[in-house]
Amino acid sequence: MARINSNTELEELRQEILSKRDQNKPRIAVCAGTGCLASGAAKVIAALKEEIKKQGLNADVDIKETGCPGFCERGPIMVIYPEEICYLQVKPDDIPEIISETIKERKVIDRLLYTDPTTGEKVTHESEIPFYKNQKRLLIGTNINIDPKSIEDYLAIGGYRALAKALFDMTPEQVLEEVKRANLRGRGGGGFPAAKKWETTRNVPREPKYVIVNADEGDPGAFMDRAVLEGNPHSVLEGLVISAYTIGSHEGFIYVRQEYPLAVENVDIAIKQAEEYGFLGQNILGSGFDFIVNVHRGAGAFVSGESSALMTAIEGKVGEPRPKYIRTAVSGIWERPSNLNNVETLANVPLIINNGAEWFTSIGTEGSKGTKIFSLVGKVNNTGLVEVPMGMSLREIIYNIGGGIPGDKKFKAVQTGGPSGGVIPEQYLDTPVDFDELTKLGSMMGSGGMIVMDEDTCVVDVARYFVDFLCDESCGKCIPCREGLKHMREVLNNIVEGKGNEGDIELLEELSRLMTKASLCALGTSAANPVSTTIRYFGDEYQAHIKESKCPALVCKELVSYYIEPSKCQACMICLRNCPVEAISGGKNQIHVIDQAKCIKCGVCFDACPTRFGAVIKISGEPVPASLPEKERSLVRGKK
Amino acid sequence: MNNGQEELLLLLQKAQNEFGYLSEESVAELAKSLALPISDIYGVATFYSFLSTKPLGRNVIRICKSMPCYLKNCQIIIDTVEKEIGIKPGETTPDGKFSFQLTNCIGACDKAPAMMINSDVYDDLTPGKISEILKACK
């Protein structure tokens, strides 16, 4: 491929690519993102290639290995074009039928379609599945149409048009103005206006300047950036080059976490291709603008996702934050002006340049424009990635898109914003999701993790979990974060073990205030959020743990006992055989009893007892009833 | 200013890939070539969870213990792996086949519980799947 040297050449190439593509030719797209690969997509793709060869259809069908379309719960996902037939949970054994029936005969295979759980109806087309129908997928909607390893696929959907427009039709000032008017706010968690950052770095009278992509996504429960980088790496590169042009930077960095090998691979390929085609390197598209980009791979450190820490990590030092009396936008990598944006923020930039700020601001709420990708995980039916306009309510996201809570359980809370965010209870489910509304509730939008919890989740245990996570990941540089978290962990451990004291809640609140005020970086100042929000919304559960030694959700091991209800026990011996410590006595026709002194509370009996009996129950906060005397333990079976 | 130090993390990752861990010798060598104190190299080497100054097994198992995996009972997966290979998190089997670690979010929450073995992700885990996955490791 020869380098492209002008806007005209780019459009000619695009036309050439499009003219070679027959829109009516059957095309089978299979998600080859991390989620689907782990569920066996590679075997499906291999079977597909083999079957097509076997049936002599090589010239008649295209196969596309794409990025993540989001419905990870039902992977591997396959979409067959031009009809847009969507098959879910496809297995290699299904392939011969798919080729013979759907490709050759144009017949839809019912069993592979999505079934609407409420109506029982089958849904044929991808866009009609409720999970997708209620989304607005500007960023991840095209993933299923492109092979992330093919720059031609990106060009076919209009890729790099925004870059050409910025370079040839706009001055850097005009680009800046457009992004400013679009009010694009940082998707990594902070929600800081991107154009403001760009402007700061741009105005510093020092060279060189750097631009950085933060792809060190580490919030537990968040994988939006992974999907964008894996599925459409060119969109991020395009956004990055546009930001560099605006700021006047000629060198950029992409910092990707080690845990995302496929993202690293696809980004590396994308950079090579972009250099070859002339979207990166010297004299980009013949415009006279130069820009190169380097990929840095992290090595597993949550705190390195913080902007100043990430820049220190790029310098090759320990990836710890530094005080930001002077912003990194002014003095970042090697004390040079450095602009850092999140993956998703940059992926929005080409859309804004192509469609204009008016279009972008028509989506979303007053203060938060555009869409946001969330990773919906935890106790929710449809886990996966969802992209919605800002302002959609939590209820719509969790119920209309997420399909509600599995197994008739009750919703309890949703954790947003990862370890820096908070836990939001049911009464706020109608809150519109945007940067400002979630902050008002003591949580934050954060990078977009949404962990749904049902009634079987103990919020004190959740708070302890997050504090434990942060203890692990705190870099230890500043005392409030390092010691505050440790102290919190100690108090929370006591509470969940039933050793809580009067005054513990107040102590936790005091520690929260201190950490929020005095920590060095944003991760430290927000570290107490999971604790303070759970106290704020679920204070009674803390009280129950401390005062009554009771875990209302029946989770905290030390506060729960297992007991077999004599009236329900059918003496089936299942629990007895499964108990790892032989704590259950009984026999055929003899009601089983748990020896509380031997019981290690592993819960195996609870899980093993057939649901139709439901004889094993959990008890918390009250004494375990005395076991039946030996002579009353013979089982009297009712008449059939 | 940059004296090549920006290459440090990359060089450490390379050394670890080649030798399986960061030996005293490789750290000393790096210190010399970058003209940095050994303590600085160790500072970086011990900061990141994917770098190790102790020898690791051929297959490094990292089970995610983050919230979404925790909610989907990753404990039973941890217990199963412990039982199958006979070591606890943080340890390496005497034959050098497995190292076992717990890790924070690996971004596979859509199908929790999940784990990584070297750079491959395995998700939607059940105790039943573990022995098959481990058997396939060489």
Side-chain angles (χ1 to χ4, degrees):
Chain A
M1 173 63 215
R3 276 179 67 99
I4 306 165
N5 286 311
S6 69
N7 197 2
T8 326
E9 279 182 38
L10 171 61
E11 288 313 313
E12 280 168 8
L13 173 68
R14 199 188 313 280
Q15 288 318 314
E16 194 191 316
I17 293 168
L18 287 171
S19 67
K20 277 191 289 186
R21 298 189 171 195
D22 176 3
Q23 289 306 315
N24 294 317
K25 186 178 174 187
R27 172 162 48 94
I28 307 177
V30 184
C31 170
T34 297
C36 283
L37 281 178
S39 349
K43 282 185 188 147
V44 169
I45 293 163
L48 198 56
K49 286 181 179 161
E50 203 187 301
E51 189 63 30
I52 286 178
K53 203 167 146 197
K54 207 166 109 191
Q55 300 210 21
L57 293 170
N58 265 348
D60 307 312
V61 186
D62 286 335
I63 303 175
K64 203 161 276 295
E65 297 172 36
T66 76
C68 176
F71 203 4
C72 314
E73 169 82 25
R74 305 294 176 92
I77 294 171
M78 177 185 284
V79 185
I80 298 171
Y81 294 94
E83 295 90 346
E84 201 204 295
I85 301 164
C86 180
Y87 289 151
L88 303 168
Q89 287 171 316
V90 179
K91 290 182 201 66
D93 294 348
D94 300 322
I95 298 299
E97 195 184 345
I98 292 174
I99 301 299
S100 326
E101 294 292 310
T102 311
I103 299 296
K104 281 189 165 169
E105 305 288 329
R106 306 255 158 151
K107 278 190 208 150
V108 176
I109 306 167
D110 268 10
R111 109 186 112 79
L112 295 171
L113 295 175
Y114 176 80
T115 313
D116 193 317
T118 46
T119 60
E121 270 174 42
K122 298 279 180 186
V123 184
T124 308
H125 301 117
E126 189 201 29
S127 51
E128 289 162 3
I129 296 174
F131 177 79
Y132 291 123
K133 201 169 68 186
N134 295 306
Q135 298 188 38
K136 189 170 182 71
R137 299 189 299 149
L138 302 176
L139 298 169
I140 53 172
T142 48
N143 277 7
I144 196 74
N145 294 315
I146 52 179
D147 172 352
K149 295 183 170 65
S150 155
I151 191 169
E152 290 207 353
D153 278 8
Y154 185 61
L155 292 171
I157 60 159
Y160 289 107
R161 189 176 273 150
L163 175 64
K165 185 177 173 186
L167 290 176
F168 297 109
D169 302 338
M170 297 167 90
T171 61
E173 293 79 6
Q174 284 171 321
V175 178
L176 185 68
E177 195 49 37
E178 198 70 28
V179 177
K180 199 184 270 179
R181 283 199 300 122
N183 193 13
L184 174 65
R185 295 173 66 175
R187 265 47 175 171
F192 193 80
K196 227 178 199 174
K197 260 194 195 175
W198 290 14
E199 195 170 26
T200 309
T201 307
R202 184 185 140 81
N203 288 343
V204 179
R206 269 187 299 137
E207 303 279 342
K209 295 172 183 176
Y210 299 112
V211 285
I212 305 152
V213 183
N214 185 351
D216 194 41
E217 179 176 59
D219 281 2
F223 53 99
M224 300 76 48
D225 296 347
R226 187 198 80 195
V228 174
L229 268 190
E230 272 179 20
N232 195 353
H234 284 288
S235 67
V236 183
L237 282 182
E238 188 177 3
L240 180 68
V241 185
I242 295 173
S243 77
Y245 169 71
T246 314
I247 290 165
S249 158
H250 302 287
E251 186 171 359
F253 298 91
I254 303 181
Y255 191 88
V256 196
R257 68 195 297 233
Q258 162 131 10
E259 289 87 335
Y260 291 173
L262 185 59
V264 176
E265 184 187 328
N266 288 358
V267 167
D268 280 339
I269 294 172
I271 290 175
K272 268 208 195 90
Q273 291 172 336
E275 283 169 349
E276 214 176 293
Y277 280 69
F279 300 116
L280 280 176
Q282 302 289 314
N283 193 15
I284 293 173
L285 293 177
S287 68
F289 177 66
D290 308 331
F291 181 68
I292 55 163
V293 57
N294 314 291
V295 176
H296 270 244
R297 215 163 41 125
F302 173 71
V303 75
S304 294
E306 196 274 344
S307 63
S308 66
L310 188 146
M311 294 187 196
T312 331
I314 288 179
E315 291 173 3
K317 296 177 191 148
V318 175
E320 287 175 341
R322 62 160 178 78
K324 285 193 273 190
Y325 309 118
I326 305 172
R327 289 210 194 112
T328 48
V330 176
S331 174
I333 303 181
W334 300 301
E335 293 169 14
R336 287 159 177 168
S338 307
N339 173 74
L340 175 132
N341 292 120
N342 162 267
V343 168
E344 195 184 333
T345 314
L346 288 170
N348 269 296
V349 171
L351 294 177
I352 293 171
I353 299 303
N354 274 327
N355 303 305
E358 275 71 32
W359 165 82
F360 192 76
T361 49
S362 71
I363 308 158
T365 61
E366 181 65 34
S368 309
K369 301 298 184 188
T371 61
K372 177 78 191 83
I373 312 175
F374 293 98
S375 55
L376 198 54
V377 296
K379 302 291 185 75
V380 61
N381 274 315
N382 304 331
T383 55
L385 283 185
V386 306
E387 183 180 350
V388 298
M390 298 267 192
M392 189 180 266
S393 74
L394 285 165
R395 189 186 300 279
E396 284 171 285
I397 296 175
I398 294 166
Y399 286 89
N400 296 357
I401 298 174
I405 317 298
D408 294 328
K409 295 280 180 186
K410 258 189 78 186
F411 171 87
K412 182 166 192 173
V414 56
Q415 153 83 26
T416 67
S420 310
V423 174
I424 300 171
E426 196 178 3
Q427 70 255 40
Y428 295 109
L429 267 182
D430 292 309
T431 307
V433 178
D434 73 3
F435 288 108
D436 312 307
E437 292 296 327
L438 294 186
T439 310
K440 276 187 213 160
L441 296 177
S443 181
M444 60 156 76
M445 185 140 85
S447 56
M450 232 177 229
I451 309 174
V452 181
M453 300 165 192
D454 66 5
E455 56 187 320
D456 290 343
T457 316
C458 169
V459 288
V460 187
D461 187 46
V462 166
R464 178 185 66 146
Y465 160 77
F466 276 110
V467 168
D468 211 37
F469 168 84
L470 289 161
C471 272
D472 259 11
E473 296 293 346
S474 171
C475 74
K477 188 168 177 176
C478 76
I479 296 166
C481 174
R482 184 184 69 215
E483 297 304 320
L485 282 166
K486 271 194 191 147
H487 199 164
M488 273 186 165
R489 177 164 67 177
E490 204 180 304
V491 176
L492 287 166
N493 272 336
N494 279 340
I495 296 177
V496 297
E497 283 168 15
K499 296 180 224 151
N501 295 311
E502 195 79 36
D504 275 355
I505 297 178
E506 292 73 18
L507 179 59
L508 287 172
E509 283 172 329
E510 194 189 324
L511 286 167
S512 296
R513 278 195 297 276
L514 187 138
M515 286 160 62
T516 308
K517 275 208 170 137
S519 293
L520 179 64
C521 79
L523 297 180
T525 54
S526 61
N529 280 349
V531 176
S532 51
T533 49
T534 44
I535 292 179
R536 179 161 155 195
Y537 299 122
F538 297 96
D540 50 340
E541 287 199 22
Y542 277 84
Q543 296 285 6
H545 280 78
I546 296 169
K547 289 190 179 150
E548 300 162 48
S549 296
K550 178 180 177 178
C551 174
L554 302 171
V555 171
C556 297
K557 210 170 161 179
E558 308 293 330
L559 302 180
V560 169
S561 305
Y562 290 85
Y563 172 69
I564 301 173
E565 283 212 53
S567 61
K568 289 186 180 165
C569 179
Q570 297 298 309
C572 68
M573 315 261 291
I574 294 178
C575 64
L576 190 150
R577 283 199 207 101
N578 278 295
C579 177
V581 290
E582 294 174 3
I584 302 177
S585 66
K588 225 176 175 185
N589 290 326
Q590 192 187 24
I591 290 170
H592 304 346
V593 170
I594 299 173
D595 182 344
Q596 297 296 333
K598 280 189 191 165
C599 177
I600 54 164
K601 301 180 182 182
C602 63
V604 166
C605 53
F606 183 83
D607 294 332
C609 183
T611 34
R612 60 182 189 281
F613 303 155
V616 180
I617 58 163
K618 294 188 204 178
I619 294 177
S620 183
E622 50 193 291
V624 179
S627 25
L628 286 182
E630 196 65 34
K631 55 184 181 204
E632 287 170 34
R633 282 175 60 188
S634 301
L635 180 68
V636 184
R637 292 188 193 273
K639 280 181 199 153
K640 288 204 173 153
Chain B
M1 249 305 295
N2 40 335
N3 49 359
Q5 190 176 356
E6 74 272 21
E7 299 289 326
L8 176 56
L9 187 52
L10 186 71
L11 294 171
L12 287 169
Q13 285 165 335
K14 268 193 185 153
Q16 169 138 339
N17 272 348
E18 198 172 325
F19 305 110
Y21 78 110
L22 302 167
S23 63
E24 272 182 39
E25 293 78 39
S26 45
V27 169
E29 214 170 284
L30 269 175
K32 208 169 158 193
S33 69
L34 294 173
L36 286 168
I38 286 185
S39 58
D40 277 16
I41 312 281
Y42 268 110
V44 174
T46 53
F47 182 74
Y48 295 100
S49 62
F50 273 70
L51 298 177
S52 176
T53 50
K54 279 189 283 184
L56 291 175
R58 291 190 297 284
N59 301 285
V60 183
I61 305 170
R62 293 185 170 92
I63 300 186
C64 177
K65 55 167 175 152
S66 276
M67 199 70 216
C69 288
Y70 181 71
L71 286 175
K72 298 258 170 102
N73 201 4
C74 63
Q75 191 56 45
I76 195 160
I77 305 300
I78 298 171
D79 294 345
T80 311
V81 170
E82 265 181 26
K83 224 186 276 169
E84 288 271 337
I85 60 175
I87 52 170
K88 295 212 170 298
E91 298 175 353
T92 299
T93 53
D95 61 357
K97 187 173 176 186
F98 292 109
S99 280
F100 180 21
Q101 299 174 356
L102 301 183
T103 182
N104 283 322
C105 192
I106 55 171
C109 333
D110 43 347
K111 286 197 169 168
M115 67 177 182
M116 284 178 101
I117 298 181
N118 298 332
S119 58
D120 294 324
V121 175
Y122 299 86
D123 60 8
D124 215 357
L125 296 171
T126 56
K129 285 186 186 173
I130 296 293
S131 72
E132 202 183 313
I133 294 170
L134 295 181
K135 241 178 241 158
C137 294
K138 284 176 187 147

